[in-house]
Amino acid sequence: MLTGNYDKILEKIALASGIEKEEIERRVEAKRAKLSGLISKEGAAQIIAAELGISFDNEKLKIDELLPGMRKVNVVGKVVTLFPVREFNKNGRSGKVANMIIADETSNIKVVLWDTNHIELIEKGEVVEGTVVEIINAGMRDNELHLGSFSEFKKSEEILENVKSEIVAKEKNILNFKNLENVKTRAFIVQIFEPRFFNVCPECKKKVISEGEGFVCAEHGKVMPEKRALLNLVLDDGTETIRGVLFHESISSLGLTDLENVDSFIKQKEELLGKEMFFSGTIRKNKLFNNKEFIIDKAEEIDLDALIKELEENAN
Ligand SMILES: [Zn+2]
């Protein structure tokens, strides 16, 4: 969904307040303007809701309705990934922490358990991957759902099918990209740099170093390396520009097919410059230049028919 989450929040506020959606949207925009656009539409809508005395507390929410800052969150989801329970020892405090990803039909989210009673359910094997769990009274910390000793964590009888277990990228403007976020954006390609090539180990895909005649992997010793490509480009969506990095397989999603053939690369590059596409991936901070970088997993053609259909559905 492009704006599903925002729309649902608007609808909830409209329903609870009796104010028309268009008017709420106007207030959201006014709030964002006042805060110099530093806040997302969803965040601004949450402030408007609070100002109107509307609370999402104790309401059972879908995962794509969860927002940073929410407290007393109730949600049901299927455990799609369960990470090993970790023990920690920090500042003289020790304990256990468990991480998992839960999903429903709208989205997925990382859940962090701090309470030993909750963690015990995992250690005893009562909650495993595939278990549907009910979470009551949890709190959002950034984009994670955290459970403390006041939260409830239990198995649910609900049956969840077709859960959305792939990483859901948030659709954002480049200006609002934050470090480590998974994002999707619609932007123009304004610059493409020469591809670079390097060698990796065929086993672990890590970089190999050339030694004498051959190549050596730190873990696998002497190997026949695989040649990999890396491509840098610059994207602009009207709010900001960002440098994007694409590795090997992702490059073909741009439509670049034969990177090592200079003539065909120049020709395909000319066709790509100025083209608008959807890009999804992760934001990383480049420590060397102290700026943000967009590690692009996938470039997609803009399907205008699908966009129009979605707009129509949202309008209904
Ligand atoms: Zn290796």
Side-chain angles (χ1 to χ4, degrees), residues 203-215:
E203 297 276 330
C204 61
K205 311 291 175 198
K206 285 186 184 145
K207 256 190 197 177
V208 289
I209 47 167
S210 78
E211 211 176 83
E213 302 276 283
F215 290 88

Side-chain angles (χ1 to χ4, degrees), residues 54-149:
I54 300 161
S55 159
F56 297 108
D57 283 1
N58 297 320
E59 203 183 328
K60 202 167 172 189
L61 297 168
K62 292 291 173 198
I63 293 174
D64 76 343
E65 295 173 308
L66 302 179
L67 293 170
M70 279 186 170
R71 292 180 302 160
K72 298 183 187 170
V73 169
N74 303 339
V75 72
V76 170
K78 185 185 265 185
V79 180
V80 289
T81 310
L82 193 58
F83 300 101
V85 174
R86 281 191 295 121
E87 294 194 26
F88 66 87
N89 206 320
K90 211 173 171 184
N91 305 328
R93 270 185 66 225
S94 63
K96 286 180 185 176
V97 61
N99 292 294
M100 65 181 77
I101 310 283
I102 66 161
D104 66 11
E105 66 280 12
T106 67
S107 190
N108 56 69
I109 191 164
K110 187 174 173 190
V111 174
V112 185
L113 307 180
W114 297 98
D115 187 89
T116 47
N117 295 313
H118 300 157
I119 294 171
E120 213 174 66
L121 292 176
I122 295 168
E123 291 175 323
K124 283 182 179 165
E126 284 175 33
V127 169
V128 294
E129 283 179 2
T131 306
V132 176
V133 293
E134 180 169 6
I135 290 168
I136 298 168
N137 203 15
M140 287 290 292
R141 269 193 225 167
D142 294 326
N143 286 313
E144 298 174 355
L145 193 58
H146 284 240
L147 282 79
S149 50

Side-chain angles (χ1 to χ4, degrees), residues 203-269:
E203 297 276 330
C204 61
K205 311 291 175 198
K206 285 186 184 145
K207 256 190 197 177
V208 289
I209 47 167
S210 78
E211 211 176 83
E213 302 276 283
F215 290 88
V216 173
C217 165
E219 199 185 326
H220 296 99
K222 229 177 181 177
V223 288
M224 267 296 283
E226 280 177 14
K227 198 170 184 183
R228 312 281 283 178
L230 179 155
L231 187 81
N232 280 295
L233 45 74
V234 178
L235 300 178
D236 188 333
D237 71 347
T239 68
E240 182 73 277
T241 63
I242 193 164
R243 180 184 278 255
V245 187
L246 293 99
F247 290 96
H248 219 67
E249 290 86 0
S250 322
I251 297 173
S252 55
S253 71
L254 268 179
L256 289 172
T257 46
D258 192 4
L259 290 176
E260 293 188 66
N261 180 329
V262 179
D263 289 337
S264 100
F265 173 72
I266 290 173
K267 195 164 161 273
Q268 291 183 330
K269 174 182 156 174

